[in-house]
Amino acid sequence: MVVTLRWVFSAVLVAMIGFTVVAVGDRNITEALIELWPDPWFRATLADAYFGFFTIWLWIAYRETGVLSRAVWFVLIMMLGNIAIAGYFLRLFWRSDSAASLGDVLTSAQTQ
């Protein structure tokens, strides 16, 4: 399962970088925000995404033992969203033994 998840999160990372590059080529984020902010569905979707990012970060904060590591991951996730989340999971799964159980990998605190 760990090997499969390495592939899954690699695909997520590549896809999100691709979507981001295309979006940056279209217009800058400030222009998009000004145009889209009045739409309630945009605000709801943005809030949903950031509450999800915060939820994932809480789990990361549980796993990471250092305050600096927790703070860095918080900033990365809030700035990069799913790009940072995919990066965290790739880091986690590449540091894990391929034969490790998924439960052990996801629930054990980071010791390195």
Side-chain angles (χ1 to χ4, degrees), residues 80-95:
L80 300 173
N82 286 310
I83 292 172
I85 291 168
Y88 185 85
F89 277 102
L90 280 172
R91 176 178 165 260
L92 172 65
F93 291 129
W94 278 108
R95 288 182 170 188

Side-chain angles (χ1 to χ4, degrees), residues 62-103:
Y62 158 76
R63 291 195 83 254
E64 296 294 321
T65 56
V67 173
L68 180 60
S69 178
R70 290 172 178 161
V72 166
W73 280 108
F74 180 81
V75 170
L76 288 173
I77 289 170
M78 293 304 156
M79 291 179 65
L80 300 173
N82 286 310
I83 292 172
I85 291 168
Y88 185 85
F89 277 102
L90 280 172
R91 176 178 165 260
L92 172 65
F93 291 129
W94 278 108
R95 288 182 170 188
S96 300
D97 183 354
S98 297
S101 79
L102 189 56

Side-chain angles (χ1 to χ4, degrees), residues 2 5 9 18-19 21 25 27 29 32 37 43 46-47 49 51 61 65 68 72 75 78 82 91 93 98-99 111:
V2 170
L5 290 171
F9 283 101
F19 286 124
V21 167
R27 62 185 162 185
I29 195 167
W37 189 256
R43 293 191 311 268
L46 192 64
F51 283 126
T65 56
L68 180 60
V72 166
V75 170
M78 293 304 156
N82 286 310
R91 176 178 165 260
F93 291 129
S98 297
T111 58

